[in-house]
Amino acid sequence: ERARPFFGRMGKKTGFLTPKAISNRIKAKGLQKLRWYCQMCNKQCRDENGFKCHTMSESHARQMRLFRENSGKYMSYYSDMFKKGFMEVARRRARNRVKANVVYQEYIKDRHHIHMNSTCWETLSSLVVYLSKNGMVDADKTEKGWYIKWKDTDPERMARRAAAERLDKMKMTADAVAERQIQEQVARAHKLAGTDKDGGDVEEDKKELKRDEKRGELKMNIAARKPIERNVTIGSTAVFDNAKATGKKRKKMQQKKSALEELMEEQEREKKRKKDAKRKRPKDVRKENWLFKGLVVKCINKRVGGGAYYKKKGVVKRIHNKFEGEVKMNDSGDVLRLDQEHLETVIPGIGKPVLVLNGSFRGYEAELLSLDDDPKKDEPTVTVKIAAGEWEGEVVKDVALEDVCKLK
């Protein structure tokens, strides 16, 4: 009997370098359709059938249950991430006026970007309107679509730009003053030299020199110099004269010595000043608790005592657990135990004692010198002078208003 040929089992080829695997990787590299992307699962499907199978899966159902529990949180998070990424691209591409769609197309080039269908904006137009209303971009609508231009709203960069503009303005003012002074000096020099600005001589009235006959002849009386008499006799008078002269010299020496001493004292003071300048300030210490014994504080809780102590002042007598204090009210004399959240600091008049609550000189007693309400700064500040301790006499500027409090 004739033997039948055996061809073996024909199975599917599997492996990393198979044509199917290479094709799948090529397809996965490029961008797919937005409607087939699931943001909660971070999964991109290739077609409608794949997306339908994904939405019926158990993992997708679990993620959607989480979304239903707190939808607002997820929506806000994805919207913020999308806005941040879009503005980052706009900062690079929209320095000049460009189409909003150009910025959007560059943003979605990143395969792992946050998709718009997971944000609170349904269209690109609504996003552009939102950014324009919040002052992030300059937007205008034309027949070809929306155009945007990026606006720099970073506070640090704006502060640096304003400082640079002020410096340029000061330089221009200084240059103008210097130029005006030079012009005045040149005009004054021309006036004294008798020439005009072009170098020509100034016309003056020419006068003829005439001798006045009424004046007499010029007489000069030159007397002979008397010889100097030398006192060579040594007697009581000469001794006293020498003593007087010695006393005058001694006084002069004393005067010179006192001037020298003043110079030495001035040098010592200069050395001390330089030494104090080289001395490093304490580290900036900032802590949450700011209550200290002896502070004058104000109650800001309307519920305490039914509102009887609201806006009333008192003195901190004792501290408990760093954040609570026993406060003796000034009006009634009652002692209340209050948390520091229900209290606020009190700022005294100029020249009154204060305590530094936070910063490099935390815990130091000081004297309030001035209140600096500069409109260029975000918050008002104060200038204090350290009244005791190692840094006595040190003047500290730009101290936050909340970092000082009145002392009893």
Side-chain angles (χ1 to χ4, degrees), residues 244-255:
K244 289 179 181 179
T246 308
K248 291 180 180 179
K249 288 182 180 179
R250 189 180 295 111
K251 287 182 181 179
K252 289 182 179 180
M253 289 295 291
Q254 287 178 357
Q255 290 176 359

Side-chain angles (χ1 to χ4, degrees), residues 298-313 329-334 336 338:
K298 186 186 294 183
C299 178
I300 56 172
N301 192 344
K302 295 182 179 179
R303 298 181 180 178
V304 177
Y309 303 104
Y310 182 63
K311 294 293 183 180
K312 301 294 183 181
K313 297 179 183 178
M329 309 306 294
N330 292 341
D331 295 342
S332 61
D334 298 338
L336 308 176
L338 300 172

Side-chain angles (χ1 to χ4, degrees), residues 129-347:
V129 171
Y130 169 82
L131 295 177
S132 178
K133 284 184 178 179
N134 286 272
M136 298 180 183
V137 297
D138 291 329
D140 60 307
K141 189 175 183 181
T142 63
E143 296 178 356
K144 296 181 179 180
W146 282 97
Y147 283 81
I148 62 173
K149 183 180 179 181
W150 178 73
K151 290 174 66 176
D152 190 2
T153 56
D154 186 15
E156 294 183 0
R157 284 196 289 267
M158 292 176 69
R160 285 198 297 269
R161 193 181 302 113
E165 290 177 358
R166 286 198 301 270
L167 185 61
D168 292 341
K169 201 172 289 184
M170 289 171 61
K171 286 182 179 178
M172 291 173 62
T173 307
D175 293 342
V177 171
E179 187 176 355
R180 186 172 64 251
Q181 290 177 352
I182 291 172
Q183 291 176 356
E184 290 176 357
Q185 291 176 0
V186 170
R188 199 180 303 118
H190 283 304
K191 186 176 180 181
L192 292 174
T195 59
D196 55 8
K197 292 185 179 181
D198 299 331
D201 294 335
V202 178
E203 294 183 359
E204 296 181 354
D205 297 336
K206 297 180 180 180
K207 295 181 181 180
E208 184 180 356
L209 293 175
K210 294 182 179 180
R211 184 176 180 180
D212 192 0
E213 298 294 340
K214 294 180 181 180
R215 292 184 181 180
E217 296 180 355
L218 181 64
K219 297 180 180 180
M220 298 180 67
N221 294 327
I222 301 176
R225 189 175 182 184
K226 295 181 179 181
I228 299 173
E229 296 181 358
R230 298 181 181 273
N231 188 10
V232 295
T233 59
I234 300 176
S236 60
T237 306
V239 171
F240 284 117
D241 291 341
N242 292 336
K244 289 179 181 179
T246 308
K248 291 180 180 179
K249 288 182 180 179
R250 189 180 295 111
K251 287 182 181 179
K252 289 182 179 180
M253 289 295 291
Q254 287 178 357
Q255 290 176 359
K256 289 182 180 179
K257 188 176 180 181
S258 62
L260 182 61
E261 286 177 354
E262 289 179 1
L263 182 61
M264 292 175 66
E265 289 176 0
E266 182 64 28
Q267 289 179 352
E268 290 294 332
R269 285 196 294 268
E270 187 67 25
K271 287 181 181 179
K272 186 177 179 182
R273 199 178 298 114
K274 288 182 180 180
K275 187 177 179 181
D276 293 341
K278 289 181 180 178
R279 187 171 53 171
K280 293 183 178 179
R281 285 191 174 187
K283 293 183 179 179
D284 191 5
V285 180
R286 306 200 69 84
K287 296 184 179 180
E288 294 182 2
N289 60 306
W290 55 267
L291 279 181
F292 286 89
K293 187 178 178 181
L295 293 180
V296 179
V297 293
K298 186 186 294 183
C299 178
I300 56 172
N301 192 344
K302 295 182 179 179
R303 298 181 180 178
V304 177
Y309 303 104
Y310 182 63
K311 294 293 183 180
K312 301 294 183 181
K313 297 179 183 178
V315 181
V316 179
K317 295 296 184 181
R318 192 177 299 173
I319 307 297
H320 296 281
N321 301 326
K322 296 183 179 180
F323 295 94
E324 296 180 357
E326 292 184 5
V327 182
K328 184 177 180 181
M329 309 306 294
N330 292 341
D331 295 342
S332 61
D334 298 338
V335 178
L336 308 176
R337 183 165 176 173
L338 300 172
D339 191 273
Q340 69 176 16
E341 292 183 357
H342 304 150
L343 301 171
E344 71 174 4
T345 58
V346 175
I347 304 301

Side-chain angles (χ1 to χ4, degrees), residues 95-113:
R95 294 278 183 172
N96 298 322
R97 183 172 172 269
V98 296
K99 287 189 75 172
N101 194 44
V102 173
V103 179
Y104 177 71
Q105 291 298 328
E106 181 159 344
Y107 170 68
I108 66 174
K109 281 183 181 179
D110 182 12
R111 184 168 177 265
H112 301 288
H113 70 277

